[in-house]
Amino acid sequence: MNRRSFVTGALAAHLLATTALAQQPGQTPPPPPPPNLGADGAPFSRDALDEQARLLATKAFEPPRNLLPDGFADLPQDVFRSIKMRPDRSLWQGENRGFGIDLLPGGFIYRSPVAVGLVEDGKVRMLPNEPSWFDFGRAPQAPADKPFPFSGVSARAPIDRPEELREFALFQGATLFRALARGQIFGTSARGLAIDTGEPDGEEFPLFRNFWIERPGPVANSLVVYALLDSRRVTGSYRFTLRPGEITVVDVEFTLFPREELRHIGVAPMTSMFFFGPNDRVGVDDIRGQVHRADGLQIWNGAGEWVWRPLSNPADLQISVFVDKNPRGFGLLQRQRAFAAYNDLGRRYDRMPSVWVEPIGDWNDGQFQLTEIPSDADVNENIVVYWRPKEALKPGSRVSMAYRLHWCWTPPDRPGGATTVATVVGAAGGRRRRFVVDFAGDSVADPSRAGAIRPMVSTSVGAIRDVVGRPNPEIKGYRVTFDLDPGNEELCELRMVLETDGKPISETWLYRWTA
């Protein structure tokens, strides 16, 4: 196999073979075959990508081949990270297009090759899989006469300073992608699609087989990336429009073509890490006060209610569902922004982004699903959340959806009332647990009005004791303290909202306590 045959062949192998039929008088000629988007010079369009995904769905899934040179799949992480794209080969170097693109190498855990092409003047130019793109650092030099696979792409932009192109987004591994806003570092990840997360038979992990990147015009402020998704039971076409800045916005448009019925898919899935925080420090012996990339799930449901659900690191796998219709938004947020809360100069969790999903169009009936996985280390992404449509996807159907991702310090959509700024949990004697929840916002900022505020606290089982609400002058907010007496129960669902004159003045605080 030569260097270019891998790139062009990877896509061509998935297209249906087209047989020329003899034209009979009076018959309508068959439509022309779709362009091979893995070939140089092929005309590129969203319709052509859709058709490629549709045709791919009519064939059985073929697992990706491992094209890594010997030893590269076993590279230690630090050695793999020493492999860098050569600066002189960075795409659009010196062209003043507002963006730069770096190719990411295969190796370590990234063993599924991806093909990468550029779209220039409406036509495809495939990038050859060859080791000359990379400086291999501390890793072995890959053989020059064999293909060397890419594992993804990274995008750079002048997000912090006009004179510097800094990495702000990357696509690497399965369907994972990440972005950040001005002044931030990478944290929570997004995924193209989730399938059967938390199901007893195991999760199916789709992958992006191919990327095509549109060459932007001079001094552009947006970048368009296309991707072809493939998995055992579904294929899909994706279009990402990235706009970096104070809030980095990623518009996601996708169309799925199921090979088989899909009863459990996750739309706009996000993956993050929660190791411990002030609400969950049982058994923790650590110099850091908190360790997480996100501290809570925010939901703005179709009825207009704002919900805040603090995350936890449970002893056993926990799945929480929130039934809804036509949701207005949801996201994994990092609300704690004080460095002292984490005390970690290496990880800088205080600078990691919140990620907010804004649905586009009607998403109909479904539910949010939050999965919290037990973790004994801060390197495990143990939090997954997504929207799960109620209706199953039927084989042979075509399903299109769209949404907007905001990678930000604070989401552009936010509750009108008070929001939760801290949830602290500790022992209260016996099996009792004491909760301290702080709220901040204009509706609770005036201490002279605190007497009219009523904390409405409830639990699904067990009992709530000793509820006390008072002003918290340190944050110009309001503090609620109460005890949970679970009795003999192992799981309690807690709910609280602040009210004045019988009307809510805060978001709804939800919490799952487990023994």
Side-chain angles (χ1 to χ4, degrees):
M1 180 180 291
N2 60 35
R3 295 174 181 172
R4 194 172 290 270
S5 64
F6 162 70
V7 178
T8 57
L11 290 175
H14 294 298
L15 295 177
L16 287 177
T18 304
T19 303
L21 301 178
Q23 177 67 32
Q24 300 296 325
Q27 286 186 336
T28 302
N36 174 10
L37 299 183
D40 284 345
F44 188 92
S45 68
R46 177 66 189 275
D47 288 342
L49 180 57
D50 284 354
E51 181 64 5
Q52 179 160 316
R54 186 190 70 80
L55 291 174
L56 181 57
T58 65
K59 298 192 68 176
F61 173 70
E62 296 182 10
R65 296 173 57 195
N66 182 0
L67 299 174
L68 288 170
D70 290 345
F72 273 77
D74 301 317
L75 288 178
Q77 186 177 25
D78 60 331
V79 175
F80 171 73
R81 287 180 172 175
S82 73
I83 306 175
K84 304 292 184 182
M85 187 171 179
R86 295 182 182 276
D88 60 316
R89 301 215 62 183
S90 182
L91 302 179
W92 310 321
Q93 185 78 19
E95 295 185 20
N96 195 31
R97 297 192 176 275
F99 294 92
I101 296 292
D102 288 345
L103 303 172
L104 302 176
F108 183 47
I109 61 173
Y110 304 108
R111 302 170 186 178
S112 298
V114 299
V116 180
L118 303 181
V119 179
E120 300 173 340
D121 300 322
K123 297 185 181 300
V124 172
R125 177 166 72 87
M126 298 304 298
L127 303 180
N129 291 76
E130 54 189 25
S132 62
W133 293 100
F134 302 104
D135 180 337
F136 284 84
R138 295 160 51 203
Q141 178 65 44
D145 59 344
K146 295 182 179 180
F148 185 79
F150 306 135
S151 63
V153 295
S154 168
R156 294 178 292 110
I159 192 167
D160 291 326
R161 294 188 292 273
E163 68 278 7
E164 178 188 4
L165 296 183
R166 181 168 84 89
E167 184 180 53
F168 78 94
L170 61 85
F171 297 78
Q172 187 180 35
T175 63
L176 287 165
F177 61 98
R178 295 188 290 173
L180 50 77
R182 183 171 298 135
Q184 293 183 336
I185 62 174
F186 287 121
T188 293
S189 300
R191 292 158 62 181
L193 188 69
I195 303 176
D196 287 350
T197 302
E199 293 290 345
D201 292 337
E203 184 170 359
E204 179 178 331
F205 290 95
L207 55 89
F208 286 138
R209 284 191 182 271
N210 310 83
F211 292 102
W212 296 265
I213 308 166
E214 280 190 2
R215 182 178 63 181
V219 200
N221 58 14
S222 65
L223 179 71
V224 177
V225 177
Y226 296 90
L228 176 67
L229 177 143
D230 195 12
S231 194
R232 183 175 63 84
R233 291 183 289 164
V234 67
T235 68
S237 64
Y238 281 69
R239 185 180 193 268
F240 302 91
T241 303
L242 296 81
R243 295 186 295 275
E246 188 65 36
I247 293 179
T248 290
V249 175
V250 179
D251 288 340
V252 184
E253 308 161 67
F254 68 93
T255 301
L256 300 178
F257 301 91
R259 289 186 170 103
E260 302 177 19
E261 184 176 66
L262 294 172
R263 295 182 176 275
H264 184 171
I265 68 163
V267 175
M270 289 172 280
T271 302
S272 196
M273 180 275 293
F274 185 95
F275 188 31
F276 64 85
N279 63 307
D280 188 0
R281 288 188 60 93
V282 176
V284 172
D285 185 12
D286 199 299
I287 62 171
R288 299 170 293 182
Q290 305 181 36
V291 176
H292 49 73
R293 295 176 187 166
D295 52 10
L297 167 63
Q298 178 92 75
I299 294 173
W300 187 17
N301 66 27
E305 180 185 23
W306 286 89
V307 172
W308 175 251
R309 165 61 154 77
L311 300 175
S312 64
N313 182 3
D316 300 301
L317 176 71
Q318 298 284 347
I319 296 178
S320 303
V321 298
F322 310 86
V323 177
D324 199 7
K325 181 176 183 178
N326 290 326
R328 304 184 186 187
F330 70 103
L332 290 176
L333 309 190
Q334 186 77 311
R335 281 187 172 175
Q336 178 54 262
R337 291 297 179 188
F339 167 78
Y342 304 97
N343 192 33
D344 192 331
L345 282 171
R347 300 294 175 86
R348 295 308 302 264
Y349 297 109
D350 55 303
R351 293 176 54 197
M352 292 184 177
S354 293
V355 186
W356 179 251
V357 180
E358 176 189 346
I360 297 175
D362 290 342
W363 281 17
N364 302 315
D365 293 312
Q367 63 189 37
F368 298 104
Q369 182 156 317
L370 169 65
T371 302
E372 296 165 300
I373 305 167
S375 176
D376 59 1
D378 60 4
V379 296
N380 300 319
E381 294 196 325
N382 63 324
I383 303 296
V384 184
V385 67
Y386 50 79
W387 171 256
R388 179 179 175 179
K390 182 179 180 179
E391 295 296 325
L393 274 59
K394 301 297 184 180
S397 65
R398 174 190 177 113
V399 179
S400 297
M401 297 182 71
Y403 57 94
R404 176 167 292 166
L405 285 167
H406 303 263
W407 306 76
C408 52
W409 296 96
T410 302
D413 298 316
R414 64 195 72 178
T419 58
T420 309
V421 295
T423 299
V424 182
V425 183
R431 296 194 79 213
R432 285 194 180 195
R433 303 296 291 172
R434 180 154 298 157
F435 285 76
V436 177
V437 183
D438 282 332
F439 292 87
D442 291 343
S443 61
V444 296
D446 185 352
S448 67
R449 299 170 57 188
I453 298 174
R454 296 289 179 267
M456 309 303 292
V457 191
S458 62
T459 178
S460 58
V461 291
I464 300 296
R465 311 288 189 192
D466 304 327
V467 179
V468 177
R470 68 186 71 177
N472 184 345
E474 297 301 318
I475 61 169
K476 295 182 179 180
Y478 190 83
R479 169 169 288 187
V480 180
T481 303
F482 66 90
D483 288 358
L484 169 67
D485 184 355
N488 294 322
E489 302 293 341
E490 299 295 312
L491 185 152
C492 301
E493 298 283 2
L494 308 181
R495 178 184 179 91
M496 174 167 52
V497 65
L498 304 184
E499 292 185 357
T500 296
D501 297 329
K503 297 179 180 180
I505 61 168
S506 73
E507 65 186 3
T508 300
W509 174 90
L510 301 179
Y511 196 88
R512 172 177 285 186
W513 173 85
T514 55

